[in-house]
Amino acid sequence: MTATVSNFYYGAVTPVSAYLMACLGAALGLRCTTRSMRRPHRRAAWLALGAVSIGCGIWTMHFIAMIGFSVQGALVGYDPTKTLLSLAVAIVVVALGVFLVGYRGGSPANLAIAGTVTGLGVAAMHYLGMGAIHTNGTLHYDTPTVALSVAIAVAAATAALWAAVSIHRLWASLGAALVMGVAVTGMHYTGMAAVSVHLTGTSATAQSSTSLLSFLLVMLAGPLAVLLIAAVIVMFDPDMMLGDDDWTPATSPARQLAQQPSPPSPPHTSW
């Protein structure tokens, strides 16, 4: 028997919250990559923080959205090991893409490779997270819709990496983060549209189980804490409000040239 599936059990609360988390992770990641380019001696640290921020943002978006996932007539649960593995996958694949463009630049070839690897990894994170679901039924996927969700993931990842190395003004990067949030959240709900559940038994327990909600909130606590710490680091960084046009540190060529004394003008001789 095919069950009725909903992704909005709690209404607009879960999709809006998921979108905001995706935007937060993207915004922090963009600001961290900006720092990495301004501070080459600490590039690896800033890129790592950016990768963790984006990865945690994407994963948090996914599982906040999954709080609203319900199957009529069945109790939904999650395998903790696979759930945490999906978090690790999200961080690792984002790190691969961020470090590739961070060190080798944003050429079309680099963006194509990094975007494809990262996008496929994000899709793998999504479907690995779906594989962690326990319910009294089997999940089936519509292949064309799955393919569309993977394509969206690759496009979103490529756009995110391009923005990471190309957009450095504060307000421009915040606008890019809002767009990236739409793309990442859209990928999630496209993937969820591919899901159907065929029940193999009945469950007398209601979907609004407190234990399920408690489990997901506990799993979300760690990534949310990481995002909070990253936000504090970025907010208290002295360059936070600066963009490319404003950045003229003492070691930059433009600043050095401006600080050099003007050569003396040749003496004027009157004939």
Side-chain angles (χ1 to χ4, degrees):
M1 179 179 66
T2 302
T4 300
V5 176
S6 173
N7 290 295
F8 308 102
Y9 186 82
Y10 296 101
V13 173
T14 50
V16 171
S17 300
Y19 169 71
L20 292 176
M21 287 299 103
C23 291
L24 175 61
L28 292 174
L30 290 177
R31 301 313 296 167
C32 287
T33 54
T34 297
R35 306 301 190 286
S36 74
M37 294 177 184
R38 293 174 180 166
R39 300 172 182 178
H41 61 290
R42 299 177 61 185
R43 177 169 296 175
W46 279 113
L47 290 176
L49 182 61
V52 170
S53 298
I54 296 174
C56 286
I58 293 173
W59 187 88
T60 303
M61 174 278 303
H62 172 81
F63 277 97
I64 287 179
M66 291 306 296
I67 292 175
F69 177 71
S70 66
V71 180
Q72 185 175 358
L75 175 65
V76 176
Y78 292 88
D79 177 78
T81 302
K82 290 182 179 180
T83 301
L84 292 175
L85 180 59
S86 68
L87 172 60
V89 168
I91 294 174
V92 169
V93 297
V94 171
L96 289 175
V98 166
F99 273 82
L100 180 59
V101 298
Y103 278 97
R104 299 189 61 182
S107 68
N110 283 342
L111 285 174
I113 296 171
T116 300
V117 171
T118 304
L120 292 176
V122 170
M125 177 278 298
H126 173 86
Y127 289 105
L128 181 59
M130 294 299 295
I133 291 178
H134 289 161
T135 188
N136 55 311
T138 56
L139 274 64
H140 298 269
Y141 296 91
D142 177 67
T143 302
T145 309
V146 169
L148 177 60
S149 71
V150 173
I152 294 174
V154 171
T158 303
L161 294 172
W162 172 83
V165 296
S166 304
I167 299 177
H168 304 304
R169 284 186 170 183
L170 177 62
W171 295 111
S173 63
L174 292 179
L178 295 177
V179 175
M180 289 160 56
V182 172
V184 172
T185 309
M187 175 268 161
H188 172 83
Y189 283 105
T190 300
M192 295 307 297
V195 177
S196 61
V197 180
H198 294 241
L199 297 181
T200 56
T202 58
S203 173
T205 309
Q207 165 62 22
S208 57
S209 169
T210 303
S211 61
L212 172 60
L213 187 58
S214 299
F215 168 79
L216 288 175
L217 291 177
V218 168
M219 297 300 287
L220 288 168
L224 286 173
V226 171
L227 289 173
L228 177 61
I229 293 171
V232 171
I233 293 173
V234 171
M235 288 294 294
F236 283 92
D237 185 81
D239 286 342
M240 196 279 289
M241 297 302 294
L242 296 181
D244 271 354
D245 293 343
D246 307 309
W247 179 50
T248 53
T251 57
S252 71
R255 185 66 171 269
Q256 289 177 345
L257 183 62
Q259 291 179 343
Q260 287 180 355
S262 302
S265 58
H268 178 70
T269 303
S270 176
W271 294 93

